[in-house]
């Protein structure tokens, strides 16, 4: 009897090794643990054994049953795991990771930077939260002068405000550097405006400043004219109109040919054929005095540039608010 207990055990272990699926496993269970299985058979043979040997043999059969049960359970749970793995549908299409893109304003800003870096301009920077001194006083806006009302300022305190233009970076740069100075300063600016298709309470400018001996108005015009061609093609025209800014004299505003109708007149340019880009002019002597430059020796020009406007022209966008709504359907169109 002892022999058959051992051989059942060895057989079982061999059989278990060759089990290939859950069905094999179940037949193996029935073969050994079933009502007519080997274990039951051993128990029933027990009565034929010598009574003195029965307790010992009984224990051995119990031990074998425990081993078989444990091995079968272990194998069963392995199959259960495999089965749940099979529930993963390998035919499902994968999830494509969405790749980020640059914002259209960033793209345009980079292009503008590229043009000016070829002309030897470096990039300068200043804070969005400014003091009255940098945003106004040093730029020759006298206190209580109506020119301050040209810019609908968002004040934080009486003295601290959100910059209304990037021109304060002119002052910051000149106070830190000696001439010659050749910089552009891209950045966000803020004005108290009700948003609509062409107005936003914040937008983007690029300031330009070129300071040296004998800098001329002609340089300024050429740089802007060339910029327009670089950005929009050779057949673009630029118009300069006399204007006023406290920090430049003479001052002008400049327009590009409407890109949509090429100057013929359309809804976008309000049938004028022109689209206003920004202001520019020769740096006012009082600005040089405020930063400690000698206006009898030093000359310079400064210009602004409306980045959002240029981007609208470039990408044919008729509502400035689209830039700030962060709608992926809009943003994913630019590359
Ligand atoms: N800072 C002016 C504006 O925001 C534009 C400007 C810049 C004008 C430089 C002249 C020189 O409207």
């Amino acid at each position: 009897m002892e022999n058959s207990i051992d051989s059942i055990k060895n057989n079982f272990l061999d059989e278990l090794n060759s089990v290939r699926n859950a069905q094999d496993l179940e037949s193996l269970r029935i073969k050994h643990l079933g009502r007519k299985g080997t274990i039951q058979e051993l128990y029933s043979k027990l009565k034929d054994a010598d009574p003195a040997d029965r307790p010992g043999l009984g224990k051995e059969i119990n031990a074998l049953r425990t081993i078989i049960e444990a091995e079968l359970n272990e194998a069963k749970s392995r199959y259960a795991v495999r089965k749940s793995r099979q529930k993963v549908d390998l035919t499902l299409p994968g999830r494509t990771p969405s790749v980020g893109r640059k914002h259209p304003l960033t793209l345009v800003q980079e292009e503008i930077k590229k043009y000016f870096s070829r002309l030897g301009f470096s990039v300068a920077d200043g804070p969005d939260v400014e003091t009255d001194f940098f945003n106004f006083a040093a730029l020759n806006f006298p206190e209580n002068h109506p020119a301050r009302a040209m810019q609908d300022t968002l004040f934080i305190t009486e003295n601290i405000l959100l910059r209304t233009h990037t021109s304060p970076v002119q002052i910051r740069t000149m106070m830190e550097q000696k001439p010659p100075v050749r910089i552009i300063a891209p950045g966000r600016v803020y004005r108290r405006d009700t948003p609509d298709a062409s107005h936003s309470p914040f937008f983007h400018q690029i300031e330009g400043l070129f300071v040296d001996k004998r800098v001329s108005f002609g340089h300024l015009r050429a740089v802007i004219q060339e910029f327009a061609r670089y950005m929009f093609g050779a057949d673009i025209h630029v118009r300069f109109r006399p204007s006023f800014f406290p920090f430049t004299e003479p001052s002008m505003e400049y327009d590009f040919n409407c890109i949509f109708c090429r100057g013929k007149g359309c809804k976008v340019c309000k049938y004028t054929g022109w689209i206003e880009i920004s202001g520019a002019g020769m740096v006012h002597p009082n600005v040089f005095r405020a930063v400690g430059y000698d206006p009898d020796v030093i000359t310079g020009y400064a210009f602004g540039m409306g980045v959002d406007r240029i981007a609208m022209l470039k990408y044919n966008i008729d509502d400035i608010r689209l830039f700030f709504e962060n709608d992926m359907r809009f943003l994913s169109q630019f590359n």
Side-chain angles (χ1 to χ4, degrees), residues 28-136:
L28 194 59
R29 189 188 68 78
I30 290 166
K31 177 173 176 189
H32 293 282
L33 301 179
R35 255 193 298 153
K36 291 174 187 160
T38 54
I39 296 292
Q40 272 313 316
E41 206 175 318
L42 287 173
Y43 281 130
S44 55
K45 277 186 188 159
L46 211 50
K47 61 181 184 300
D48 304 329
D50 189 324
D53 293 339
R54 279 182 206 161
L57 287 170
K59 265 189 196 157
E60 278 186 52
I61 300 171
N62 285 344
L64 176 59
R65 193 185 57 190
T66 310
I67 289 171
I68 293 179
E69 277 172 355
E71 290 286 348
L72 287 175
N73 277 338
E74 215 261 328
K76 197 172 162 185
S77 63
R78 267 204 313 268
Y79 279 106
V81 169
R82 224 180 273 176
K83 203 169 171 189
S84 76
R85 283 215 190 110
Q86 278 164 4
K87 281 186 189 148
V88 175
D89 183 352
L90 297 176
T91 66
L92 276 178
R95 277 177 216 160
T96 334
S98 54
V99 178
R101 277 163 209 258
K102 285 182 183 167
H103 193 281
L105 291 177
T106 306
L107 292 172
V108 166
Q109 211 175 71
E110 283 178 354
E111 214 167 328
I112 300 175
K113 277 189 202 165
K114 203 157 102 194
Y115 169 80
F116 284 102
S117 76
R118 283 181 193 163
L119 297 182
F121 285 75
S122 56
V123 175
D125 199 10
D128 288 20
V129 177
E130 266 297 5
T131 58
D132 180 281
F133 174 78
F134 287 106
N135 198 80
F136 290 126

Side-chain angles (χ1 to χ4, degrees), residues 118-267:
R118 283 181 193 163
L119 297 182
F121 285 75
S122 56
V123 175
D125 199 10
D128 288 20
V129 177
E130 266 297 5
T131 58
D132 180 281
F133 174 78
F134 287 106
N135 198 80
F136 290 126
L139 287 164
N140 196 33
F141 284 82
E143 220 167 306
N144 300 319
H145 191 280
R148 291 190 184 208
M150 271 166 66
Q151 320 223 340
D152 300 291
T153 311
L154 289 157
F155 285 94
I156 293 170
T157 68
E158 208 178 315
N159 215 5
I160 299 172
L161 46 87
L162 292 173
R163 65 177 176 191
T164 58
H165 51 181
T166 43
S167 301
V169 187
Q170 290 186 33
I171 304 299
R172 288 182 176 276
T173 310
M174 286 191 283
M175 288 178 94
E176 271 169 23
Q177 276 172 236
K178 290 205 158 18
V181 171
R182 203 173 348 176
I183 53 125
I184 55 168
R188 183 171 274 196
V189 301
Y190 305 81
R191 291 191 196 174
R192 219 181 55 218
D193 249 335
T194 310
D196 64 26
S198 54
H199 292 89
S200 160
F202 53 81
F203 51 99
H204 300 81
Q205 288 187 334
I206 292 189
E207 192 79 8
L209 176 69
F210 186 11
V211 175
D212 203 344
K213 290 175 187 161
R214 304 159 84 149
V215 174
S216 81
F217 201 78
H219 293 157
L220 172 60
R221 288 186 49 154
V223 162
I224 291 178
Q225 216 140 22
E226 268 319 298
F227 169 74
R229 295 206 183 102
Y230 167 83
M231 208 65 190
F232 295 108
D235 54 342
I236 196 85
H237 292 287
V238 182
R239 176 172 81 170
F240 301 98
R241 289 177 285 113
S243 185
F244 172 79
F245 297 98
F247 41 97
T248 47
E249 180 59 36
S251 301
M252 63 182 179
E253 282 174 291
Y254 63 97
D255 310 329
F256 290 175
N257 249 172
C258 177
I259 277 79
F260 298 102
C261 62
R262 290 278 156 187
K264 283 195 202 80
C266 67
K267 224 171 93 180

